[in-house]
Amino acid sequence: MREGQMYRTVLFTISLFCLATLCTNSPLVLSAAAQTCGGEGVVVQVLGSGGPELQDKRASSSYLVWQDGESRVLVDAGGGSALRFGESGANMSQLDVILFTHFHVDHSSDFPALMFSSWFEERARPLPVYGPVGNSEFPSTVDFVGALFNSRTGIYRYLSVLLVAEENGGYEVQPHNVIGDPSSLVFRSEHLSAYAARVVHGSVPALAWRVEIGGKSIVFSGDTNGEGTGLVQLAKDADIFIAHNAVPEGATGVERRLHMPPSVIGQIAEEAQVKRLVLSHRMLRTLGKEEQTLSEIRKNFSGPVTFANDLDCFPVQ
Ligand SMILES: [Zn+2]
């Protein structure tokens, strides 16, 4: 029996058990927390609006781009995002691409959970995964995927079947390292295009992403301190700019070297002339300071601003 078949058998057995014992994860219970962005047009859904702190009671960084009810793009996969992915009603088989901003835990740790879940779906086409290059402290995207799923040395080598398209199921995961030049196309499918800009996040190799889909544009800042001009160039005239609100105004030291304060978010939004600003990656040090954050942003940017929560849907007008 192939391993995949064995897992399907186990899953089926569990389902029968649940039927007999009235398991609590019935569709009725799940639907209380679920929010799908299915429907017409392009919608961005925030799967994780929090940072690394579990006490923020939010999933860590992750976003989905929907088009006409299909989940096309996943950006980041921080802790808790796999559960939110399930709650959103999304489907791994529908993804054209996965984009990583960087490989801090709060942006990447649920990736294996999502991949294992996808094994129980019918995905036949390869899955491209794009993210940053590496350095002495961080793996490149190719190394990150290999460290997880390489058939001999990977942590989850039992899932290496995912890395090779096989006759009986399985699909190829295709990791790519991206330097991040806003003027260069990184990825194109029949539905969408993706561009990246290298951004400064301390010494961490990090990218911001722009997704163009259905005539709309969505830009994800990822984690950055806002230095340089790449993010403004990437975000130019974006319909939605999702920026990370990880530190309050006046942050200093390592916090400021890693993250942009609200005034800088406002400057970038204004310079790029984005149509709407969404604030995410909310942490304990910024939660409860929304009024101050908004007033700092308002000094530079007068467009619509929204503070994101998990599973929020933002239709792209
Ligand atoms: Zn982060």
Side-chain angles (χ1 to χ4, degrees), residues 57 79 175 247:
K57 298 178 182 137
V247 295

Side-chain angles (χ1 to χ4, degrees), residues 50-52 60-61 76 101-102 104-107 201 222-223 244 246 259 281 283:
S60 300
S61 187
D76 279 349
T101 61
H102 64 293
H104 270 155
V105 169
D106 59 316
H107 295 255
H201 182 41
D223 287 0
H244 283 186
H259 296 288
H281 202 291
M283 295 180 63

Side-chain angles (χ1 to χ4, degrees), residues 3 119 145-163:
E3 267 185 294
W119 206 5
V145 173
L148 290 169
F149 301 124
N150 180 279
S151 62
R152 285 179 297 104
T153 58
I155 295 163
Y156 300 113
R157 62 190 75 122
Y158 80 104
L159 288 179
S160 63
V161 64
L162 287 170
L163 284 173

Side-chain angles (χ1 to χ4, degrees), residues 61-284:
S61 187
S62 186
Y63 307 97
L64 259 182
V65 180
W66 294 85
Q67 185 183 34
D68 299 332
E70 305 262 312
S71 48
R72 303 271 194 228
V73 185
L74 179 71
V75 179
D76 279 349
S81 63
L83 175 62
R84 296 283 183 256
F85 188 92
E87 289 173 331
S88 78
N91 188 320
M92 288 289 289
S93 301
Q94 293 170 350
L95 292 179
D96 281 7
V97 67
I98 295 179
L99 309 173
F100 280 107
T101 61
H102 64 293
F103 291 113
H104 270 155
V105 169
D106 59 316
H107 295 255
S108 60
S109 67
D110 267 10
F111 179 60
L114 288 160
M115 298 307 288
F116 192 22
S117 178
S118 76
W119 206 5
F120 300 94
E121 297 180 17
E122 299 297 324
R123 185 182 180 100
R125 61 189 170 127
L127 177 57
V129 177
Y130 290 84
V133 298
N135 65 11
S136 59
E137 294 169 49
F138 286 85
S140 69
T141 305
V142 170
D143 289 345
F144 178 77
V145 173
L148 290 169
F149 301 124
N150 180 279
S151 62
R152 285 179 297 104
T153 58
I155 295 163
Y156 300 113
R157 62 190 75 122
Y158 80 104
L159 288 179
S160 63
V161 64
L162 287 170
L163 284 173
V164 186
E166 296 206 339
E167 315 79 64
N168 303 318
Y171 62 89
E172 190 178 4
V173 180
Q174 298 174 331
H176 303 272
N177 300 337
V178 177
I179 292 171
D181 168 3
S183 58
S184 302
L185 176 72
V186 173
F187 170 79
R188 174 169 285 161
S189 70
E190 59 179 306
H191 306 112
L192 62 101
S193 304
Y195 298 81
R198 186 173 33 168
V199 292
V200 180
H201 182 41
S203 61
V204 188
L207 299 170
W209 283 101
R210 180 186 182 103
V211 174
E212 297 190 347
I213 179 167
K216 309 294 182 187
S217 51
I218 306 136
V219 173
F220 304 87
S221 74
D223 287 0
T224 176
N225 65 12
E227 282 177 20
T229 57
L231 182 52
V232 171
Q233 199 182 332
L234 189 78
K236 193 72 191 152
D237 300 319
D239 292 297
I240 292 189
F241 176 41
I242 299 184
H244 283 186
N245 179 213
V247 295
E249 201 64 30
T252 56
V254 67
E255 290 183 6
R256 183 63 187 88
R257 283 200 294 279
L258 289 170
H259 296 288
M260 50 188 173
S263 59
V264 174
I265 295 174
Q267 280 165 21
I268 292 169
E270 175 58 24
E271 278 181 52
Q273 291 285 292
V274 303
K275 298 189 180 72
R276 179 173 190 178
L277 174 62
V278 172
L279 298 170
S280 188
H281 202 291
R282 304 170 67 189
M283 295 180 63
L284 296 181

